[in-house]
């Protein structure tokens, strides 16, 4: 069941508490009907006493899955880790305009799809990876620079890098937090290029509005990827590629 962006925007404003979801603001009859249809298809049942739609599990998790994919039927763990397919990596590389000798940071390196492409282009690539199995695989590869096993958000920023290329975690808008943190690692005249969920273009909470405004102010860009860009990685999550120059 494909969901229109105006309904996804309504869902992104909803408030959740445990298994309960409360819609925010006044909706006209047509908008409420379309939104309610999605909630019911996702397993939410209207409860008059609670004045909320109730789910069997965490409402926030279920709605986040729907917003990320733009569809109701989404595997529950699909947005935790999905490797960047070759076509997506190629587009990241083109937008990054890498030159041999540049220093690159990949803050969520996964299995190295982006990092190895950067290394093959002649860059020195440092990686951060939280998943132990991925870290072990990356840490023994001589093509890469330093490989650290840690949560990227806990790493103290140092403006050492000409480029940051990344495919951050998406759940609960973690992508925005990772991108904002990663910008602090850029040298002057540096550039960040990142995959992000398509919700960046339609969510209207403050976190999303602020980063959209910042991208515009810095002369950056948001480019939609084709539907199914990550299908080969086992997910139909809709995504974009964002380019953000250093503020200086």
């Amino acid at each position: 069941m494909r969901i229109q962006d105006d309904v996804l925007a309504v869902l992104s404003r909803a408030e959740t508490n445990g298994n309960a979801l409360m819609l925010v603001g006044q909706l006209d009859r047509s908008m409420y009907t379309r939104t309610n249809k999605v909630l019911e298809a996702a397993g939410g049942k209207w409860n008059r006493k609670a004045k909320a739609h109730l789910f069997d599990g965490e409402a926030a998790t279920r709605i986040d899955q729907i917003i990320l994919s733009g569809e109701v039927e989404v595997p529950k763990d699909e947005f935790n880790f999905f490797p960047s397919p070759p076509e997506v990596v190629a587009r990241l590389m083109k937008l990054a305009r890498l030159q041999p000798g540049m220093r690159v940071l990949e803050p969520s390196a996964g299995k190295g799809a982006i990092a190895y492409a950067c290394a093959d282009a002649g860059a020195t690539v440092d990686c951060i990876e939280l998943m132990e199995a991925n870290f072990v695989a990356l840490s023994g590869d001589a093509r890469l620079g330093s490989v650290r096993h840690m949560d990227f958000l806990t790493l103290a920023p140092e403006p050492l890098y000409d480029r940051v290329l990344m495919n951050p975690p998406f759940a609960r808008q973690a992508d925005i937090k990772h991108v904002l943190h990663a910008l602090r690692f850029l040298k002057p005249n540096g550039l960040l290029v990142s995959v992000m969920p398509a919700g960046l273009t339609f969510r209207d909470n403050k976190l999303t509005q602020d980063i959209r405004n910042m991208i515009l102010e810095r002369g950056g860009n948001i480019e939609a990827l084709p539907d199914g860009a990550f299908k080969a990685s086992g997910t139909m999550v809709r995504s974009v590629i964002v380019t953000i120059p250093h503020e200086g």
Side-chain angles (χ1 to χ4, degrees):
M1 179 181 178
R2 195 68 172 173
I3 305 169
Q4 294 179 323
D5 283 354
D6 57 352
V7 174
L8 292 172
V10 170
L11 295 176
S12 74
R13 293 192 296 269
E15 297 177 353
T16 59
N17 182 12
N19 70 332
L21 177 141
M22 291 71 70
L23 295 174
V24 174
Q26 293 293 323
L27 304 179
D28 63 38
R29 185 174 182 82
S30 173
M31 178 61 74
Y32 178 81
T33 299
R34 290 191 292 130
T35 303
N36 183 61
K37 182 179 179 181
V38 171
L39 290 172
E40 289 181 343
K45 297 179 180 179
W46 173 251
N47 184 291
R48 186 183 299 273
K49 184 176 181 180
K51 296 182 179 179
H53 285 82
L54 303 184
F55 292 80
D56 290 337
E58 285 286 329
T61 299
R62 190 68 182 108
I63 293 306
D64 204 41
Q65 292 165 348
I66 292 169
I67 292 170
L68 287 177
S69 68
E71 297 182 352
V72 171
E73 295 301 328
V74 183
K76 291 188 177 181
D77 61 350
E78 74 165 5
F79 50 79
N80 290 330
F81 168 66
F82 44 94
S84 303
E87 295 81 4
V88 173
V89 174
R91 188 59 186 160
L92 287 168
M93 296 291 292
K94 185 172 183 178
L95 292 171
R97 304 188 303 276
L98 276 185
Q99 299 295 325
M102 281 186 171
R103 191 169 182 187
V104 175
L105 176 66
E106 217 293 36
S108 302
K111 295 183 178 179
I114 297 172
Y116 291 137
C118 293
D120 290 344
T124 299
V125 189
D126 294 334
C127 298
I128 313 295
E129 176 53 37
L130 183 59
M131 292 178 64
E132 184 172 2
N134 290 343
F135 164 73
V136 170
L138 295 172
S139 61
D141 198 302
R143 289 174 289 176
L144 304 177
S146 69
V147 181
R148 281 173 278 192
H149 183 206
M150 63 185 302
D151 180 350
F152 171 61
L153 295 179
T154 67
L155 182 63
E158 293 184 272
L160 302 175
Y161 297 95
D162 302 289
R163 298 287 187 270
V164 177
L165 277 75
M166 58 194 296
N167 177 7
F170 285 7
R172 306 288 180 94
Q173 296 198 279
D175 57 294
I176 295 179
K177 297 172 186 176
H178 279 245
V179 166
L180 292 175
H181 190 57
L183 286 168
R184 301 168 69 191
F185 290 79
L186 284 175
K187 294 178 181 178
N189 299 316
L191 182 69
L192 179 145
V193 185
S194 180
V195 176
M196 297 183 76
L200 179 68
T201 63
F202 61 78
R203 286 196 185 203
D204 59 5
N205 58 22
K206 187 177 187 301
L207 185 65
T208 307
Q209 290 175 347
D210 286 350
I211 193 170
R212 276 201 305 261
N213 291 339
M214 183 266 288
I215 293 168
L216 179 64
E217 290 166 1
R218 292 195 184 185
N221 186 57
I222 302 173
E223 175 183 306
L225 284 167
D227 286 352
F230 279 85
K231 185 177 181 179
S233 299
T235 176
M236 291 299 290
V237 166
R238 293 190 299 163
S239 52
V240 298
I241 294 180
V242 174
T243 55
I244 311 176
H246 184 273
E247 62 183 339

